[in-house]
Amino acid sequence: MSATSRGFVRAFTISLSSSSPPPHLSNSTAAGIVVSRFLGGGRRPLPLPPCFALSRSIRTAVSDRRDSGLAAVMSSNKRKGQKKWKAKKNQNGSSMMEGASSSTADTIVESLEELSISRLPVNEPSTMSQFGNVEQNRTSVPGQKTVWKPRTYGTTTVDVQSLPGNQINIGNQTDVAGVNEKKSVDLSAAFGPDLLENFNVDNTTYLHAQIRATFYPKFENEKSDQEVRTRMIEMVSRGLATLEVSLKHSGSLFMYAGHEGGAYAKNSFGNIYTAVGTFVLGRMFQGSWGALASKKQADFNEFLEKNRMCVSMELVTAVLGDHGQRPKEDYVVVTAVTELGHGKPRFYSTPEIIAFCREWRLPTNHVWLFSTRKSVTSFFVAFDALCEEGTATPVCKALDEVADISVPGSKDHIKSQGEILEGLVARIVSRESSKHMEDVLRNFSIPPVDGAGLVLGPNLREICAANRSDEKQQVKALLESVGSSFCPDTVDWFGKEAGDRSRTADKSVLTKFLQAHAADYSTKKLQEMVRLMREKRFPAAFKCYYNFHKVDSLSKDNLFYKMVVHVHSDSAFRRYQKEMRHNPHLWPLYRGFFVDVNLFKANKERAAELAKASNVTDRTNGSSDTLVSNDLADEDANLMIKLKFLTYKLRTFLIRNGLSVLFKEGPAAYRNYYLKQMNTWGTSAAKQRELSKMLDEWAVFIRRKCGNKQLSSDLYLSEAEPFLEQYAKRSPANQALIGSAGNLVRSEDFLAIIEGVDEEGDLGRDHVVASSTPVPTKETKTKQEGLIVFFPGIPGCAKSALCKEILTASGGLGDDRPVHSLMGDLIKGKYWQKIAEERRKKPYSIILADKNAPNEEVWRQIEDMCRSTRASAVPVIPDSEGTDSNPFSLDALAVFIFRVLQRVNHPGSLDKASPNAGYVLLMFYHLYEGKDRKLFEAELMDRFGSLVKMSLLKSDRNPLPDPVKSVLEEGINLYKLHVGRHGRLESTKGTYANEWAKWEKKLREILFSNAEYLNDIQVPFEFAVGKVLEQLKEVAKGDFSTPSAERKKLGTIVFAAVSLPVSEVQDLITNISKTNSDVEAFIKDKRLGETLTKAHVTLAHKRSHGVVAVANYGQFLNQKFPVELTAFLFSDKLAALEARLGSIDGEKVDSLNEWPHVTVWFGQGASAKDANTLPQLLLQGKANRVEIDPPCVVSGEVKFF
């Protein structure tokens, strides 16, 4: 047995409990179980390969030795209930993993070598692992020493022992076709067109295709992000699964399958990306292993080749172009380990990845596990509190505190990359993942770093800087520097010899790929995938290249190629996933997808054998490609969500990706671009204002500096980072906005020469929202969701007339969805419930909600409809400047009233015959009171992600005539008096009935005497309708795949509070005033009926108490419980109700404020938070207190704001 296998056996010998093995496993197989063999766990653990299965006697011998030398200690943080891991050291300070003597390991190895693989028990097909089921692949060749071959993974593969000759050897250097002797060919002609052209497909032609490298499939959640989060919380709360969260390092995908298997980027190989990745990975081995690096590099290559495995990594470097921050050092972090076998790939679970990486001393990522309702809800709340300003330090600190298990990565993001954190990846894994992680951390200690301090020669940046002539020169220098032990040949980059032609093979390879007979079941499934994608015209390319590694096996009847499956657009993954729902037996469409292709001829006897192999069907009756147990439905098992931080998106999406818009289309188009991006993300209104100010300044700065020459996106941080650093220094608010800036690593002198290739594709149209209207295609024309058009306006804003024009518009809104309207004045009963019913009946229609939607209560109903009926919503508002406290100006109000007074026979009886028409419009006008125009528009954008404005008034109009302005102000003052005394009582009743009648008459006289002015200042209706139709068509064309109304729920969180019913709080204060003259005198002029619109008891604030304190209330979100209001305290500038909080499910809900209270009023010069000082003011004699006896009990609900 090789040294590699011996080392790996030593690493995987771990102690197990004394319980008997499951009935489907033998004792030796059960002893080999390390961790669950699926991504994140599964229904039951899977065994290790036979050579790792230890007999009871061997296990006992090792266990005795390990008790003193291989134990690991888990220290528990009792206060938080967290599990932090440290590897125990032995007395001489060395790692206990090293404590196992080599003699013990040698004994194990010798015992294993004596075991005949043919005598080992055959396992029944085990429970599904990640992306496939598992079988044993036992190959025993007469006359050769028995060796272990990796098990094959996938739906199924041929059982080699059931075939004649007990050997297939497809694509090997032996008798490949079974009848043809190997024909040597001249290298000058080996890769020319003649060889392929003369290879004709007939009944003797077979194809053997094997996946050589791949990354996880790109799963697209059918549900919205909010629905995914809710489902994740539910699954963890019910004990069905665990939530796993990992850091997202900002770099490029790099995959390594051994020096012959190849090095791959996302969609290519044999270029600067893979050369840089190979160099960095090789240098990581040197740093970890020191003097043993060369041997370990060779062992690692051999291990990957023999076991047909692929290791995927995030390649983080400053030489391949700028992302969110230039890293302080160049490194890789392992993100996936894949066993490719001879079938469907099997991806290691995270515990398995950590075990693998610690064995080979490869860098690991930071991982957190959340297995309880409290921890998982706290995680999402913590993210929402940090999403707009989070950087690596506070994010990692917060997650460390709320997670059940935290496993720090061997590569510290802060030290290696910096503070700017791209995001987090959260996914559902097995509920046993926590136990599996504990087992691995207990038995695989953190490896030492033997190469620390060694001089390793020129680093990546120095090599790239010294070789600036062209890409080929840089590649050559990098591969030479990495050494022959890790990179013994460079054929993937330069071919077999200097005279080789282009690597690209003729397109006819793909034709022959689909026409040839499948040599095994895996090949048949790959053909099925490619054929489907071509027939459906998916946006993908199948590029074929010569496989120079197989030149010694090449003959005229035996051809070898590499195929790259390059997916051009994310829409391909979505469409393919839809096909998988109709045909569950399809193999997944992977990211980073590379296939070894072997076309060959077979004689009649071999053809019969191969036909038998290809017809072997799925022994497990199919399997779904899920991330966790078969106990869960596919849509649950594949739940995954990416959570990105605004500080990263600011740099990459708003600055870098916006450069082309800024320089080609100008500042106005750039502003539209970044506003659309922020609206899509659901960025809070406050952050949008801050970012808009900063980005406008950036646009002026960079255009002034660069002129008409566009700044390179690869080097954009050279200008952006100093700008951001200076901007951040101006104020703490700017610093929070930027996140982190400064200490720029300059990369101009060592940037790799990429020659226009964007390997990651993150500058492509999938990631950039173009400023111009997208061109509709057949794919996007038919929408799979509805649209609600509604009108936050005032009577007289022309919504009904507009709806009629939309209904009769030629071509509708530009797609094939039906458009219909419901007029509020003609609907009996509750209007918005009727809209919801129509949405359910016609889910893919566009509905015009012809009714004023003036307040947040209505907006919330529309949001709920969007979520429950899968729709988007767009508000249409009259364009107006507004006032300091209202989104509509007096000019707009005058026009609205004038229009209403010209109506005749209005269905809602609001026309010139209405005696109180002016009062009704003032009532609607005051429904918007308290919001200026910016706040009004920002809140609508925040909720619904888009906004349509209807032109109303000409910009060059004359000022409002004084009589018109005076009569409107008179009516507003009268309205305030009326509401202050009578509330919502009609104007024809009450103390001010006569005043109202006189005002209504005066209003009509003045407006009609100024009719010419009021008609002249309005924008022509036809023009306004045309502009609205243009905007609505643009919205209808947009790819809104989820209800945008949810975005506010996913936005940043500032504090946790108990929300109380405002009406009950107002009634309580009114009742107190009736029995206490001091309170009556105090509230007399306070207009609490207008100013008190929200009531809550603050529980924790992230500025005062920290993010984790706020996050800990996540477990109580949306739950109701009793709140006692015990006293009313007031001073000359403040008023509040004292509160006593109750319990939820027996657990007391406590506020972190010293004095829990409900602020009900604050005067000029004071703020809501100043109400905290009322108890001190009371002691100083500057406030009054009125007891509420017995206390008033109201129902409160935990919310985040």
Side-chain angles (χ1 to χ4, degrees), residues 529-548:
M529 175 190 297
V530 174
R531 187 174 291 111
L532 171 69
M533 295 177 68
R534 282 172 57 84
E535 289 175 354
K536 299 289 185 178
R537 297 185 179 275
F538 284 9
F542 304 91
K543 304 173 184 177
C544 295
Y545 302 87
Y546 298 114
N547 190 343
F548 292 106

Side-chain angles (χ1 to χ4, degrees), residues 290-308:
L292 293 175
S294 295
K295 180 180 182 304
K296 290 299 180 180
Q297 288 172 337
D299 289 348
F300 186 64
N301 278 331
E302 180 187 359
F303 182 82
L304 294 182
E305 294 286 348
K306 286 187 175 180
N307 297 328
R308 196 169 183 84

Side-chain angles (χ1 to χ4, degrees), residues 91-163:
Q91 293 179 353
N92 61 16
S94 62
S95 170
M96 287 193 172
M97 185 59 71
E98 299 170 345
S101 69
S102 60
S103 61
T104 302
D106 290 340
T107 302
I108 297 172
V109 171
E110 291 171 1
S111 299
L112 292 173
E113 288 178 340
E114 293 174 1
L115 295 174
S116 171
I117 291 181
S118 61
R119 295 199 303 268
L120 289 175
V122 179
N123 295 319
E124 293 299 322
S126 302
T127 303
M128 184 212 74
S129 66
Q130 167 62 8
F131 305 125
N133 291 288
V134 183
E135 289 185 321
Q136 303 290 97
N137 180 19
R138 302 176 304 282
T139 304
S140 180
V141 182
Q144 294 184 5
K145 188 174 181 178
T146 300
V147 296
W148 171 75
K149 299 271 185 167
R151 291 173 298 172
T152 56
Y153 298 88
T155 311
T156 188
T157 59
V158 60
D159 186 344
V160 295
Q161 290 190 349
S162 66
L163 298 178

Side-chain angles (χ1 to χ4, degrees), residues 85 156 168 215 226 294 331 379 446 549 620 667 757 784 818 839 869 916 918 939 974 1001 1085 1118:
W85 298 87
T156 188
I168 296 181
F215 193 55
Q226 180 60 46
S294 295
Y331 65 97
F379 161 69
I446 298 174
H549 290 287
T620 58
V757 178
Q784 297 303 311
R839 285 285 314 117
T869 65
N916 62 344
E939 184 165 358
L974 182 59
K1001 182 180 179 181
D1085 60 345
N1118 297 327

Side-chain angles (χ1 to χ4, degrees), residues 223-227 863 866-868 942-944 1042-1051:
K223 301 176 181 178
S224 66
D225 283 355
Q226 180 60 46
E227 290 173 316
E863 286 178 302
C866 288
R867 264 190 304 279
S868 61
D942 210 11
R943 287 175 179 270
F944 302 102
T1042 59
S1044 58
E1046 298 171 356
R1047 291 186 181 116
K1048 186 169 184 179
K1049 296 181 181 296
L1050 298 178

Side-chain angles (χ1 to χ4, degrees), residues 231-251:
R231 182 57 181 157
M232 285 176 165
I233 292 172
E234 180 184 357
M235 292 173 68
V236 174
S237 301
R238 293 170 56 191
L240 299 176
T242 297
L243 185 73
E244 178 187 282
V245 177
S246 58
L247 285 182
K248 176 69 176 75
H249 291 253
S250 185

Side-chain angles (χ1 to χ4, degrees), residues 975-986:
Y975 179 83
K976 291 179 179 178
L977 289 172
H978 176 87
V979 172
R981 173 163 295 212
H982 300 297
R984 296 184 178 181
L985 187 68
E986 293 179 5

